[in-house]
Amino acid sequence: MKSPLLHRPGAVALDLAGGGTVAAHYGEPLPEQRRLAEGAGLVDRSDRDVLVVPGADRLSWLHSLTSQHLERLGDATGSEALVLSPHGHVEHHVVLTELAGTTWGDVEPGTGAALVEFLQRMRFMLRVDPELVTDRWALLSLVGPRGDAVLATAGWPVPVESYAVAALPGGGWVRRMPAIGDGTAAVVDLLVPRAELAARADALLGAGAVLAGLDAYEALRVEARRPRAGVDSDHRTIPNELEWLRTAVHLEKGCYRGQETVARVHNLGRPPRRLVLLHLDGMSETLPAPGTPVTSGAREVGRLGTAVRHHELGVIALALVKQSVTPGTPLKVGEAVAALDPDDGPAGLDDTQAAARERVRAVRSATMPR
């Protein structure tokens, strides 16, 4: 389903196998980033899959299946949640919206069908009916410090708190999300009827927004160290390695699939890897692909996620690296020289985690043959 916004002047589709469905940019990749950082840019994210879960048991059911505490999720609020494997590896990252008796979820492009299939298998006799509705609903994002003014001028509601939600006239909703970039580029997601995507976009453009491609959004997302499932994570990723432990995991809720791994690593501290920001030398015209090994000398010490050209920081990328990688460690990504951002050194253990590690070490030393 190619977006109608791909027909706008200057639009260049994302370079994806099978063809992109949204615009990478509209002819000005770097200026579009600055508009998101300083003004109000409208980003077409209608390639994301959308699902709905109606039914009286939906919240308690989703609570039991995901990493998030959802039993008492209030109306007109949202959250993030993970679906984990039995071993605690991330399978899906879902942004949830609860509104008027229905729970909505939006997920990475192309992953919605697999998630809905899993949910259908887990229905049993409960009053829930998950359904993929990407063909009927589309996501836009209004990004930048002037975004609220654009919403107000358009006469649309302006949620204030993170994950607050409000219904849109004519269907859909608007949801406040955490800011990206350096923390000043506010983000509001808008779910609109897909048939009205162009008209809804025009209403916001008429209120002062400007079109910006997905590349601009991605650059500010990487700057904010905000990961994407399946791009900045791999089949071995556990929530503890990413910021999702803070935004998408409730550490005190009861049993769910994969919880044992999450709890054990959290209590002992220091997961095997951590998400970091890398600065690349930018000598090559081609950005390295997600999954490219990060090496230090002859050793592989991590894997690359999203690499972007940032309007101020140059070529930057997210990567999952071993805990042994510290600022100053010589790194390469393919042939590119890379450096760890100074703010992304390994975190130390708190007193509780250090004590837990000592207890484990004592048990192991007592039981291991000498």
Side-chain angles (χ1 to χ4, degrees):
M1 292 177 290
K2 288 190 179 294
S3 169
L5 300 186
L6 270 176
H7 301 299
R8 300 299 169 96
V12 175
L14 279 178
D15 184 14
L16 299 174
T21 61
V22 298
H25 59 83
Y26 294 90
E28 298 182 302
L30 296 182
E32 289 171 22
Q33 291 182 34
R34 191 168 295 281
R35 290 165 197 157
L36 295 189
E38 299 176 355
L42 183 63
V43 182
D44 183 0
R45 299 177 68 211
S46 61
D47 57 340
R48 282 181 69 80
D49 278 338
V50 181
L51 58 136
V52 292
V53 184
D57 297 325
R58 67 191 182 282
L59 290 179
S60 59
W61 179 65
L62 289 169
H63 178 93
S64 70
L65 295 176
T66 71
S67 61
Q68 189 58 275
H69 197 297
L70 300 172
E71 281 184 323
R72 293 184 293 277
L73 186 65
D75 186 50
T77 60
S79 184
E80 298 179 49
L82 302 174
V83 175
L84 305 179
S85 76
H87 297 293
H89 300 130
V90 175
E91 293 186 343
H92 295 279
H93 172 253
V94 193
V95 186
L96 297 169
T97 299
E98 173 68 13
L99 186 65
T102 296
T103 304
W104 300 77
D106 55 280
V107 296
E108 289 294 330
T111 66
L115 177 56
V116 169
E117 181 182 358
F118 166 74
L119 294 176
Q120 289 284 4
R121 292 201 310 267
M122 304 302 291
R123 287 176 62 186
F124 304 115
M125 300 297 290
L126 296 174
R127 295 168 294 173
V128 292
D129 190 17
E131 180 186 6
L132 189 66
V133 293
T134 311
D135 60 338
R136 284 172 270 163
W137 295 93
L139 196 74
L140 300 170
S141 289
L142 187 61
V143 183
R146 294 193 60 254
D148 289 0
V150 169
L151 288 173
T153 300
W156 292 12
V158 184
V160 177
E161 302 295 330
S162 289
Y163 304 105
V165 177
L168 283 175
W173 41 254
V174 54
R175 175 185 67 206
R176 174 77 62 184
M177 293 296 292
I180 56 176
D182 64 0
T184 61
V187 178
V188 171
D189 290 340
L190 305 115
L191 189 81
V192 301
R194 188 168 288 274
E196 301 175 17
L197 177 61
R200 298 291 186 105
D202 284 339
L204 294 170
L205 297 175
V210 294
L211 277 176
L214 193 59
D215 282 356
Y217 179 93
E218 288 288 274
L220 270 62
R221 176 186 67 81
V222 170
E223 180 186 4
R225 297 163 174 78
R226 196 74 45 77
R228 282 181 56 189
V231 180
D232 303 305
S233 65
D234 58 18
H235 68 284
R236 297 187 294 119
T237 302
I238 60 175
N240 313 65
E241 297 175 326
L242 307 166
E243 73 151 18
W244 289 332
L245 189 70
R246 179 178 58 83
T247 62
V249 176
H250 194 286
L251 290 169
E252 297 178 8
K253 67 168 282 189
C255 184
Y256 59 91
R257 193 168 73 161
Q259 181 203 14
E260 195 172 316
T261 297
V262 174
R264 181 175 66 251
V265 175
H266 174 67
N267 290 331
L268 294 179
R270 292 176 65 87
R273 303 177 296 178
R274 69 186 192 279
L275 188 75
V276 298
L277 184 72
L278 296 182
H279 298 262
L280 278 61
D281 62 18
M283 298 297 290
S284 173
E285 293 185 4
T286 304
L287 295 175
T292 302
V294 179
T295 58
S296 180
R299 292 190 311 129
E300 184 172 324
V301 295
R303 56 93 65 189
L304 198 73
T306 309
V308 298
R309 298 188 190 279
H310 191 277
H311 69 288
E312 290 182 336
L313 301 177
V315 179
I316 56 174
L318 294 178
L320 279 170
V321 299
K322 294 181 178 180
Q323 292 289 357
S324 58
V325 176
T326 59
T329 301
L331 300 173
K332 294 191 75 173
V333 178
E335 294 303 313
V337 175
L340 186 67
D341 190 271
D343 292 337
D344 287 350
L349 299 177
D350 62 29
D351 292 343
T352 301
Q353 293 167 334
R357 283 200 163 198
E358 283 301 320
R359 288 195 295 272
V360 170
R361 190 176 294 114
V363 170
R364 286 176 175 170
S365 63
T367 56
M368 289 176 61
R370 298 185 182 278

